[in-house]
Amino acid sequence: MDKDQSTELLFDLSQPGRRAARFPAIDVPTTPVDSVFGADDLAEESPPLPELAEIDVVRHFTNLSTRNMSVDTNFYPLGSCTMKYNPKRNERLASLPQFADLHPYQPDATHQGMLRLLFDLEAMIGEISGLDAVCLQPAAGAHGELTALLVAASYFRKSGQARTKVLIPDSAHGTNPSSAHLAGFDCVQVASDQRGLVDMNDLRAKIDGDVAVFMITNPNTIGLFDHQIVEIASLIHEAGGLMYLDGANMNAILGQTRPGDFGIDLMHFNPHKTFSGPHGGGGPGAGPIAVRGMLEPFLPTPRIAERDGQWRLDFDRPDSIGRVRSFFGNTGVLVRAYCYIRTHGAEGLKSVSTNAVLNANYLLSLVKDFLPVPHGDRCMHEFVASASGLHKSRGVRTMDIAKRLLDRGYHAPTVYFPLVVPEAMMIEPTETESKETLEQFADVLREIIEEPAELLQQAPHTLGISRPDEVRAARKPVLRWQAST
Ligand SMILES: *Cc1c(COP(=O)(O)O)cnc(C)c1O
């Protein structure tokens, strides 16, 4: 194994007595620790911390950082996740001390700039969504889903309606049923038809007076815009229900159409997808929600309010569902979203979605002849190919292709999702990739598919770790070093 692929830990590199820095001898009186703590509180031995020079530590972490795929180093066509380039300007602006060093307990009068930025961001997201009120508190898309469903539940409770069901298409992201369940609803699955759109007969059969919300993703996870949306919305509204949009795919329709205009009552955004925020390995995110006016009283507290050019936090909201996140949410990612939206402006945002859809269609046209795309010749911002034929003819699975792509320097597409396509491979290039990158990726994909099955089944061949037991890696991760005894 190459040295840079080694799994040596800092503990393994430790040399007794080695130091990054040495302090001068103490020249002031000292207090013995056991005069402060009781002897029982003190450890008998020093902890076995690694002893290293600064350069050892810097090399270790710098090398580790290069072992990840990232948008800054590799094409990353991870469908549904919209892994577009994160402009460095936004990073720099968000880390200005005037934003980054604010303390949330400062009096409102001393952080007017941040309050105004968030207030204006709410207005911009409201405009993009075509809805009336926005809350920035939720910490991720899934958290936005849950928050919006709690808002819907409060709305129905307040109007004395005991509605128990949330309808969800079978192509939906797993977070949709999870959020509905957590919010106390029963989930009812609606089938997709052969085109990959909502099956209207199945929908009609499942609508009744118990339906609270229909959760739709549009464009859906197959990358198709469901043109039945206005009809779906009127059926749900006639039955007294609300229309929720999972806004994860807003990159396809930004500035082209507005969810509020096609019948949506409440939705979430994923700024780390649509507005180029970093995805941050499970780190701080945001999932702003937008709602129609009648739902505004139920939004989380506090709301940012403005009067006579002064911004303040309004806690006086009797119908609010309460807090869903400390303070105002993860403002660092919200500042990035603000910068992104302001940088592009209305016309720029429209060209983002135009180019995202153009890139996806170009890649689709390059790929579909050797990797079938079951749901059509056109797509929105992403498409779902299927390795089901290859699986039958040569035993090559989507997972094998995904793993082999890693050897060739590409992050894998999303695999085995949506569930309605067998051996699914969901490819989303985003608008920030060049024509050359898309062509190279298509060439590599074609080469891989023609390689011997055994080569693919053992891939990746060039990385430090080949095929971990993924369930065990997720369920029982080894995150702690243990001293050998
Ligand atoms: C990413 C995604 C979500 C969840 O968003 P997070 O920000 O990851 O919590 C929900 N639905 C769809 C379709 C998604 O792609």
Side-chain angles (χ1 to χ4, degrees):
M1 192 184 282
D2 291 349
K3 187 145 180 59
D4 64 348
Q5 298 287 355
S6 79
T7 48
E8 273 182 322
L9 304 177
L10 287 179
F11 293 100
D12 304 321
L13 301 169
S14 176
Q15 291 294 334
R18 194 159 285 170
R19 289 288 178 277
R22 289 180 202 279
F23 296 100
I26 296 173
D27 59 358
V28 291
T30 59
T31 308
V33 269
D34 49 10
S35 72
V36 182
F37 299 102
D40 288 352
D41 297 331
L42 295 176
E44 275 152 29
E45 288 166 32
S46 301
L49 297 177
E51 299 175 77
L52 300 137
E54 186 169 323
I55 191 170
D56 301 328
V57 179
V58 168
R59 283 200 184 134
H60 177 75
F61 285 112
T62 306
N63 285 326
L64 270 186
S65 76
T66 63
R67 287 166 60 179
N68 256 349
M69 295 254 174
S70 75
V71 177
D72 285 355
T73 52
N74 306 78
F75 179 46
Y76 211 124
L78 191 67
S80 210
C81 294
T82 314
M83 304 300 287
K84 64 172 85 175
Y85 174 67
N86 310 150
K88 295 297 165 267
R89 173 221 303 239
N90 299 347
E91 301 300 312
R92 201 172 71 236
L93 292 171
S95 56
L96 287 175
Q98 290 85 343
F99 292 128
D101 293 351
L102 287 178
H103 194 283
Y105 282 132
Q106 281 178 225
D108 291 352
T110 67
H111 54 182
Q112 286 288 299
M114 178 62 93
L115 290 181
R116 176 167 182 190
L117 182 147
L118 298 176
F119 187 82
D120 289 352
L121 179 60
E122 286 184 357
M124 294 187 295
I125 290 179
E127 173 81 28
I128 291 167
S129 62
L131 293 167
D132 305 310
V134 171
C135 168
L136 303 172
Q137 264 187 46
H143 194 203
E145 293 171 24
L146 174 63
T147 305
L149 289 170
L150 292 172
V151 164
S154 288
Y155 166 78
F156 286 120
R157 201 174 307 121
K158 176 93 179 178
S159 58
Q161 301 181 57
R163 290 176 179 259
T164 53
K165 291 185 195 164
V166 169
L167 304 186
I168 305 174
D170 56 6
S171 59
H173 196 260
T175 51
N176 291 188
S178 306
S179 300
H181 178 75
L182 271 179
F185 291 107
D186 300 326
C187 303
V188 179
Q189 183 165 301
V190 179
S192 300
D193 64 18
Q194 284 191 332
R195 298 167 301 170
L197 306 178
V198 171
D199 182 327
M200 296 301 284
N201 291 330
D202 196 45
L203 176 66
R204 283 200 190 84
K206 284 171 181 166
I207 293 181
D208 59 25
D210 289 335
V211 171
V213 179
F214 182 63
M215 290 182 96
I216 189 165
T217 310
N218 202 21
N220 66 15
T221 61
I222 298 170
L224 303 174
F225 189 86
D226 200 322
H227 58 270
Q228 311 167 120
I229 186 72
V230 172
E231 192 188 346
I232 295 172
S234 66
L235 288 173
I236 295 292
H237 287 148
E238 273 163 31
L242 295 172
M243 286 289 288
Y244 180 87
L245 180 78
D246 177 330
N249 294 341
M250 281 302 287
N251 213 44
I253 57 172
L254 213 49
Q256 312 283 347
T257 178
R258 305 191 308 169
D261 298 343
F262 58 70
I264 297 301
D265 302 302
L266 64 177
M267 67 173 293
H268 81 263
F269 283 80
N270 303 67
H272 42 293
K273 300 178 180 173
T274 317
F275 303 135
S276 83
H279 280 61
I289 60 170
V291 301
R292 270 195 210 286
M294 77 277 193
L295 300 169
E296 194 276 341
F298 306 96
L299 286 178
T301 191
R303 302 276 297 146
I304 303 168
E306 188 255 351
R307 194 190 306 146
D308 304 331
Q310 290 290 307
W311 287 266
R312 65 183 177 82
L313 296 178
D314 180 8
F315 290 88
D316 182 20
R317 299 179 44 79
D319 289 329
S320 165
I321 62 166
R323 270 195 185 282
V324 296
R325 180 69 174 75
S326 50
F327 309 114
F328 333 121
N330 288 319
T331 53
V333 289
L334 297 170
V335 172
R336 289 173 175 86
Y338 176 90
C339 296
Y340 182 81
I341 295 172
R342 289 295 302 267
T343 304
H344 281 286
E347 280 309 306
L349 292 181
K350 194 169 177 182
S351 69
V352 162
S353 55
T354 303
N355 288 316
V357 172
L358 179 64
N359 269 2
N361 278 285
Y362 184 51
L363 191 53
L364 166 67
S365 74
L366 297 176
V367 162
K368 66 172 198 272
D369 293 336
F370 56 87
L371 199 58
V373 178
H375 292 95
D377 290 342
R378 289 293 182 89
C379 64
M380 295 295 284
H381 62 301
E382 68 192 2
F383 61 92
V384 182
S386 169
S388 144
L390 274 174
H391 185 211
K392 288 192 193 100
S393 62
R394 297 174 49 213
V396 170
R397 305 201 57 183
T398 285
M399 186 58 81
D400 305 326
I401 300 169
K403 294 284 185 189
R404 184 65 178 148
L405 277 168
L406 304 178
D407 278 336
R408 302 296 300 268
Y410 292 101
H411 193 281
T414 295
V415 295
Y416 299 101
F417 176 73
L419 305 177
V420 291
V421 176
E423 296 294 321
M425 190 182 297
M426 183 193 230
I427 301 177
E428 179 181 15
T430 82
E431 74 283 3
T432 57
E433 297 300 331
S434 68
K435 185 164 173 280
E436 296 75 41
T437 301
L438 303 183
E439 289 166 355
Q440 284 156 10
F441 176 74
D443 286 346
V444 166
L445 203 52
R446 183 201 294 270
E447 283 166 31
I448 286 177
I449 281 167
E450 289 166 0
E451 286 180 326
E454 309 74 58
L455 188 71
L456 302 188
Q457 285 153 353
Q458 315 273 315
H461 301 277
T462 58
L463 304 178
I465 295 173
S466 183
R467 295 217 181 188
D469 175 340
E470 296 188 356
V471 174
R472 232 179 76 214
R475 296 288 157 97
K476 298 202 165 130
V478 181
L479 302 175
R480 213 174 51 156
W481 174 80
Q482 300 234 303
S484 48
T485 44

